[in-house]
Amino acid sequence: MAGVALPTYLPSPPRGVWELGPIPLRAYALCIIAGIVVAILWTERRFVARGGEPGTVTDIAVFAVPFGLIGGRLYHVATDWPTYFGPGGNPVAALYIWQGGLGIWGAIALGGVGAWIGCRRRGIPLTAFADAAAPGIVAAQAIGRLGNWFNQELYGGPTTLPWGLEIYRRVDPATGVPDNLTGVVVDPTPVAVVHPTFLYELLWNLAVAALVVWADRRFRLSHGRAFALYVAGYTAGRFVIELMRTDPATRVFGDVRINVVVSAVVFVGAVVYMIVFRGRPREVFGRAAQEAEAGSGDEAPGTPASVANDSTGDSTEDQRARNETEARRQERSPAAEAGGQGGSASPSSVDAAPADPEQEREEDAPAEPPSAAKS
């Protein structure tokens, strides 16, 4: 019996666009949308666990998402301006966001401005929102990298590794003109086998998301440190992967890809931020702030309200924190502080002072004879 032939390398999709009547369905755009949805849902879950009101994340996303898309496109155009404004360039094509080209640096920067506007309108600390959003953002980036696979872009140099990516020649089926974005594969023979750097970054981003979730639960990160950890982790991987890519890019300092330099600078900034803001307690806002305000004035620190604000979303860890809080509160209760300020001593205690000295003297005086009581 003849053996089954298995594919040697990873295949590329035969096309990246499907026509639904007059409407083109672009895989790149669908991946971006799917990533945004995942980021919003995951951020909502984490934000509510930290004490935020349900629905707040969606309100903030109304500002953050469009700002992020605009910022991502602006960064791409600015760092690849000869393609649009150089000799033979097409300035109008700078608006063709559906053809790919979103720079994560611009998306995060301008998206942060949009998030700041939304947080300000809802009275939410931007740093608390950023910490809740960090793993969702990097997971969205991973999903977005699938769009690069469909577009046959952002790959590395030739390789013979088993996970090498096959690149095909795509053409317009009506004219036969080469068209990598909207064309289809008519000949499945690969023209190149390359490093799938989009896949490397996808897997790295998922690992960074897991790291942020673990570190946030373990160390209760606050004041933007979870977000800074995401930035540091992502840029560390991007620095290495960027060196492997062979697609055209703006180069600085001689022959260095601009994103290599940006990754190094942003990494250093993120690490410095984590060091400067270490050890700070989590911000109090939303539901947790309302519960704290409604609590009694003499309530000891570490009440359930503050514990709710420090929730990590891990039910076991949160229950342990609540148990510790309850134990500390019982230790401070009046019943545990007998004889102390605010406490109540037992009447049989040898150290208890008489309630009324005059009454004590009357009780110790000899009783009068019965005759005197009758006279």
Side-chain angles (χ1 to χ4, degrees), residues 5-281:
L6 298 177
T8 305
Y9 301 112
L10 300 176
S12 291
R15 63 168 62 201
V17 182
W18 297 266
E19 302 293 336
L20 186 61
I23 303 175
L25 294 179
R26 302 179 184 275
Y28 181 83
L30 294 177
C31 291
I32 294 296
I33 293 172
I36 292 173
V37 171
V38 169
I40 292 175
L41 293 178
W42 198 352
T43 303
E44 170 78 7
R45 182 176 180 275
R46 286 173 51 84
F47 185 77
V48 172
R50 286 171 173 258
E53 294 294 334
T56 302
V57 171
T58 303
D59 294 342
I60 297 175
V62 169
F63 295 93
V65 171
F67 272 70
L69 293 175
I70 295 173
R73 188 60 178 179
L74 289 176
Y75 180 88
H76 168 75
V77 172
T79 56
D80 198 20
W81 65 269
T83 302
Y84 306 99
F85 303 103
N90 181 12
V92 179
L95 303 175
Y96 298 166
I97 191 172
W98 55 87
Q99 292 186 354
L102 291 174
I104 185 60
W105 321 107
I108 294 298
L110 207 56
V113 173
W116 174 78
I117 295 174
C119 288
R120 187 176 179 85
R121 290 169 60 91
R122 295 299 302 266
I124 302 298
L126 177 61
T127 53
F129 176 80
D131 284 338
I137 291 175
V138 71
Q141 291 176 235
I143 297 173
R145 282 305 179 207
L146 288 174
N148 302 133
W149 179 48
F150 280 96
N151 281 0
Q152 285 198 146
E153 59 185 2
L154 304 192
Y155 48 79
T159 183
T160 57
L161 292 172
W163 55 84
L165 178 69
E166 294 182 341
I167 300 298
Y168 309 125
R169 182 174 179 267
R170 289 179 177 177
V171 299
D172 186 331
T175 63
V177 175
D179 188 347
N180 190 53
L181 287 178
T182 61
V184 298
V185 174
V186 295
D187 183 0
T189 303
V191 297
V193 178
V194 298
H195 279 284
T197 51
F198 81 90
L199 179 60
Y200 299 162
E201 186 171 333
L202 185 158
L203 297 175
W204 179 260
N205 289 347
L206 294 179
V208 171
L211 171 65
V212 172
V213 171
W214 172 82
D216 195 25
R217 291 179 176 178
R218 175 66 178 82
F219 303 106
R220 295 183 175 273
L221 302 178
S222 64
H223 289 274
R225 295 182 73 229
F227 186 84
L229 177 60
Y230 140 64
V231 172
Y234 171 73
T235 52
R238 180 66 182 268
F239 180 90
V240 176
I241 294 170
E242 194 72 23
L243 294 174
M244 302 176 64
R245 285 170 50 172
T246 58
D247 55 301
T250 300
R251 296 180 180 267
V252 296
F253 303 118
D255 194 30
V256 181
R257 295 172 68 95
I258 188 171
N259 283 331
V260 172
V261 177
V262 174
S263 295
V265 172
V266 176
F267 172 82
V268 172
V271 171
V272 170
Y273 184 95
M274 285 192 293
I275 295 174
V276 171
F277 288 90
R278 68 184 183 277
R280 299 195 179 189

